[in-house]
Amino acid sequence: MPTYDCNEHQFVENLRRIIDSKLQVVVNRIMTQRDDGKYGLSQLPDQEFKKYDALASRRHQRATVYAKVPFYDDLHKRLYMQEDILHSPKNPNRYHLSIPYISVEYRFTLWGETYRHEFDVLYQPQIRLERREIFTGGAEKRATLIHVLNFVPPPEHMWEIHLPPSTIVFDVRRLSRA
Amino acid sequence: MGSGRKSDLRLKSMPSMAPVETVETRLLELGFNLYSEATVVSDNRFWHRKLYTNGYEVITVSDEIGKVYHLKDPVVTICGRKKTIEALRSIL
């Protein structure tokens, strides 16, 4: 059974043609939260990178990204010091800062052929100055005023393709063929 | 809540040759409000997706961000009334 990949425009238009022809179709949606290093700071376009401007610097897109100031990554529980490498496209490292995302896949099957559209929605950074107790070397913890990076999940309606009520959408975990 | 009935909603997706600002201005004229926005990655391209609502009607405008070496087309996806689709079709 063939599976066709569609972009947003193609997927929605294919679905519209089915709805207009009064055929019934079930749309499956698979959503997964991921933090697997797929997206790092060096890949981001300048417009998106600006959101991290208080913490990170780089020469251009796809160049190595360095910490501008010491900061604490609250999601991954990691402390980065000034000049630490946050992301390098040439030498990926599991200690690099990764951006979590929600992977969304929509698919429907008609007459044995499957049409799907996939996209990822990035978590948004939230940067605050906070007083935190952190290890700064030695045995004791010290309360320090430090930048804290948090990641905020995108609102639920941003993962959805908004469809008319005549279309049934089922959320599924994964697809398997017998 | 808002205009129209849920059962009147139709689906339409259109690539737009018009700049995204023109689309957004028209949406505001039609009574839509910006509800939320997010960064989406699809087809290895980064998109700034904005969601506009007016009652039951929902419109997403996806504008590609970053260095774009091809003709950039904001994608407008409408789940709305026929009247709204026609109003937007005239500017896209």
Side-chain angles (χ1 to χ4, degrees):
Chain A
M1 285 202 295
T3 298
Y4 300 104
D5 284 324
C6 308
N7 62 26
E8 180 187 335
H9 168 64
Q10 291 162 338
F11 186 84
V12 172
E13 278 299 284
N14 291 340
L15 207 50
R16 181 189 61 79
R17 288 173 195 129
I18 294 172
I19 294 167
D20 287 354
S21 64
K22 309 284 182 215
L23 283 168
Q24 289 288 319
V25 68
V26 172
V27 178
N28 288 327
R29 181 172 58 179
I30 305 168
M31 288 183 300
T32 328
Q33 285 187 331
R34 289 174 193 259
D35 186 18
D36 51 10
K38 185 176 175 184
Y39 298 109
L41 294 183
S42 72
Q43 292 155 281
L44 298 180
D46 291 341
Q47 192 178 332
E48 187 67 12
F49 186 76
K50 270 184 194 159
K51 295 174 185 171
Y52 297 86
D53 211 31
L55 304 179
S57 66
R58 69 177 188 191
R59 282 191 180 172
H60 52 80
Q61 193 180 1
R62 282 183 285 277
T64 302
V65 182
Y66 298 93
K68 233 186 218 179
V69 290
F71 72 92
Y72 186 69
D73 172 4
D74 210 17
L75 179 75
H76 304 100
K77 309 291 175 213
R78 258 181 237 147
L79 176 70
Y80 292 97
M81 301 308 285
Q82 196 172 359
E83 298 297 319
D84 275 357
I85 294 177
L86 300 180
H87 190 236
S88 168
K90 287 173 192 158
N91 301 303
N93 180 319
R94 69 191 178 96
Y95 296 109
H96 287 171
L97 181 65
S98 69
I99 303 167
Y101 62 99
I102 294 171
S103 163
V104 187
E105 181 184 326
Y106 275 84
R107 57 163 72 208
F108 64 84
T109 302
L110 185 72
W111 301 320
E113 295 179 338
T114 302
Y115 299 84
R116 73 171 176 195
H117 171 51
E118 287 175 298
F119 58 92
D120 299 330
V121 190
L122 302 185
Y123 276 50
Q124 291 302 300
Q126 189 183 61
I127 300 163
R128 284 182 305 206
L129 259 178
E130 283 182 21
R131 188 166 288 279
R132 284 287 176 113
E133 278 196 342
I134 45 173
F135 282 107
T136 52
E140 62 189 44
K141 276 183 176 179
R142 274 213 333 226
T144 317
L145 196 63
I146 192 169
H147 285 89
V148 176
L149 170 67
N150 239 313
F151 286 99
V152 182
E156 191 177 339
H157 41 261
M158 296 310 292
W159 330 333
E160 295 174 6
I161 296 179
H162 296 268
L163 302 171
S166 58
T167 315
I168 303 165
V169 179
F170 284 148
D171 284 312
V172 294
R173 193 164 67 87
R174 73 166 172 241
L175 187 88
S176 52
R177 299 207 188 278
Chain B
M1 181 184 168
S3 54
R5 290 178 301 171
K6 254 188 173 180
S7 56
D8 294 335
L9 299 180
R10 287 159 184 253
L11 197 59
K12 185 73 193 162
S13 179
M14 294 181 268
S16 163
M17 297 296 280
V20 73
E21 294 78 15
T22 313
V23 179
E24 287 171 345
T25 307
R26 187 75 182 117
L27 284 175
L28 296 177
E29 284 168 5
L30 291 169
F32 282 83
N33 291 309
L34 179 63
Y35 190 66
S36 69
E37 43 197 321
T39 305
V40 170
V41 189
S42 171
D43 304 323
N44 293 318
R45 288 144 74 178
F46 285 81
W47 303 81
H48 184 208
R49 181 175 289 179
K50 289 181 180 174
L51 190 134
Y52 289 85
T53 59
N54 181 16
Y56 292 123
E57 295 185 282
V58 180
I59 294 177
T60 55
V61 180
S62 300
D63 187 31
E64 194 173 346
I65 54 174
K67 284 177 185 151
V68 179
Y69 299 105
H70 50 83
L71 201 59
K72 197 166 115 170
D73 48 359
V75 175
V76 182
T77 296
I78 308 162
C79 181
R81 290 181 301 153
K82 196 177 173 184
K83 207 173 147 187
T84 308
I85 295 171
E86 291 307 320
L88 280 171
R89 198 198 292 270
S90 63
I91 60 149
L92 297 179

